[in-house]
Amino acid sequence: MRRALARDAHVDKDAVIASCRAMLRKLLIGAALLALGACEARKPEKPANHADPALWVVRDADTTIYLFGTVHMLKPGLSWFDEGVKSAFDRSNELVLELVMPGQSEMQALVSELGMSPTGPSLPDQLPPAEAAKFRAALPEMGLASDALDRAEPWLAATMLSAAPLRQLGYDEKDGAEAVLTAAAKSAGKPVVGLETAREQLGYFDRLPLAAQRALLIDTIDDLPKAGKTIDRMVALWSAGDADGLARMMNEDLSGSPELVDALLAKRNARWAGWLAERMKQPGTVFVAVGAGHLAGPAGVQAELAKRGIKAERVNY
């Protein structure tokens, strides 16, 4: 039953994973993502489509781990996979991402299981009348019928709505940092591993209290008109390597959402820092790429590493 509902809603792998990543991006970086050190000014002679995103390194006598903050959806033509980032990647023996994508059938089953509710009030009936009307009106913009997500859980509808306007502006997950890095790793024969599974990542949303999910959806609906300005601002900060600026965006957007901060940032960062601390016990060079919001702020991965006596240093290039 749930699989059929997911098919009827046209919820496929690309839409859901990209949308969930986009929501994580929105919530974690720009939404998402203080003081991690001043960033270098961008060199004026570089072209407008050149980016110098932030990069950190953790090292001891026989282990080096690079920490790179990603943006999951980008426009084509932005030059960032070069200079210091490319050099660090080339020196690394393996790539570690938040998530390695499962197959389409597995992803479809997970979305049906975690994101659809065959019984109970329809999703619009769970919203205030004005928000329900805006929700229905937004769906045709995504190429869906106005009732296509009636059986979706609020978190799933929010993730899908958050990504739609970005695609209309030319942002695409195939141009995002993870896609570029994964292709480069496969071409070079480097292993690619994930810190989380798809079930874990979707589960962070699914386990949010229903009230928090509805609030997330309402905020997403209300933010749709300014989604373009938000992503443009976020990418500009990311391109300049401005970790402090990304952190300020996080503080602005998440100050009233403690459940989201705890579930999507703090707890995950602590787990990942534990993983990194264990990995430091093995020799080798690793390139770790996670959403840029995880590498900013007092609960960032670097701060969690510091609690374990491990110092992350900014790479200047």
Side-chain angles (χ1 to χ4, degrees), residues 52 55 66 80 82-89 91 287 315 317:
D52 288 320
L55 180 70
Y66 293 101
W80 61 268
D82 52 22
E83 299 180 338
V85 175
K86 182 67 160 55
S87 296
F89 177 86
R91 288 194 292 268
F287 194 93
V315 177
Y317 62 92

Side-chain angles (χ1 to χ4, degrees), residues 16-294:
V16 172
I17 280 292
S19 298
C20 289
R21 282 181 162 176
M23 177 55 70
L24 284 170
R25 170 200 40 74
K26 178 178 183 295
L27 296 173
L28 308 182
I29 9 191
L33 334 203
L34 189 171
L36 294 173
C39 66
E40 290 186 289
R42 292 181 65 187
K43 298 176 177 59
E45 69 273 13
K46 292 183 178 179
N49 67 339
H50 181 86
D52 288 320
L55 180 70
W56 290 265
V57 65
V58 176
R59 55 164 58 101
D60 59 19
D62 59 2
T63 307
T64 298
I65 299 179
Y66 293 101
L67 301 175
F68 179 65
T70 65
V71 175
H72 305 310
M73 297 174 73
L74 290 168
K75 290 181 178 179
L78 184 64
S79 174
W80 61 268
F81 191 42
D82 52 22
E83 299 180 338
V85 175
K86 182 67 160 55
S87 296
F89 177 86
D90 288 344
R91 288 194 292 268
S92 300
N93 309 118
E94 66 178 310
L95 172 64
V96 178
L97 303 174
E98 290 183 35
L99 170 73
V100 176
M101 294 300 209
Q104 183 171 352
S105 60
E106 180 183 347
M107 192 65 226
Q108 186 72 29
L110 284 172
V111 171
S112 295
E113 176 187 346
L114 299 176
M116 306 299 289
S117 297
T119 61
S122 70
L123 181 52
D125 288 341
Q126 301 176 45
L127 304 175
E131 301 299 333
K134 285 191 272 187
F135 172 67
R136 289 198 184 280
L139 294 181
E141 305 268 337
M142 302 169 57
L144 297 175
S146 60
D147 61 349
L149 295 181
D150 276 13
R151 304 315 312 178
E153 294 189 4
W155 70 263
L156 177 59
T159 61
M160 296 189 71
L161 283 177
S162 72
L166 307 187
R167 291 197 184 91
Q168 293 172 348
L169 292 169
Y171 289 92
D172 200 311
E173 60 273 8
K174 68 180 176 58
D175 297 305
E178 284 85 358
V180 172
L181 291 169
T182 298
K186 290 181 177 179
S187 177
K190 300 179 192 284
V192 182
V193 301
L195 293 169
E196 299 171 344
T197 66
R199 176 178 289 277
E200 287 173 323
Q201 201 162 93
L202 296 183
Y204 297 132
F205 292 104
D206 187 52
R207 288 191 297 273
L208 287 171
L210 190 54
Q213 291 189 37
R214 290 170 180 159
L216 174 60
L217 176 55
I218 290 170
D219 286 346
T220 301
I221 294 169
D222 290 340
D223 286 347
L224 288 176
K226 58 183 180 182
K229 289 184 178 179
T230 298
I231 184 65
D232 287 344
R233 178 186 171 204
M234 180 201 70
V235 172
L237 292 169
W238 178 80
S239 297
D242 189 350
D244 290 346
L246 290 176
R248 283 190 292 271
M249 288 190 73
M250 173 191 70
N251 289 342
E252 291 170 7
D253 287 5
L254 295 182
S255 59
S257 305
E259 300 100 333
L260 294 176
V261 172
D262 186 56
L264 300 181
L265 276 175
K267 288 181 178 178
R268 297 170 77 206
N269 291 347
R271 283 195 295 271
W272 296 353
W275 185 95
L276 291 166
E278 285 299 310
R279 183 59 184 81
M280 288 295 294
K281 298 175 182 178
Q282 306 173 42
T285 304
V286 184
F287 194 93
V288 177
V290 297
H294 294 284

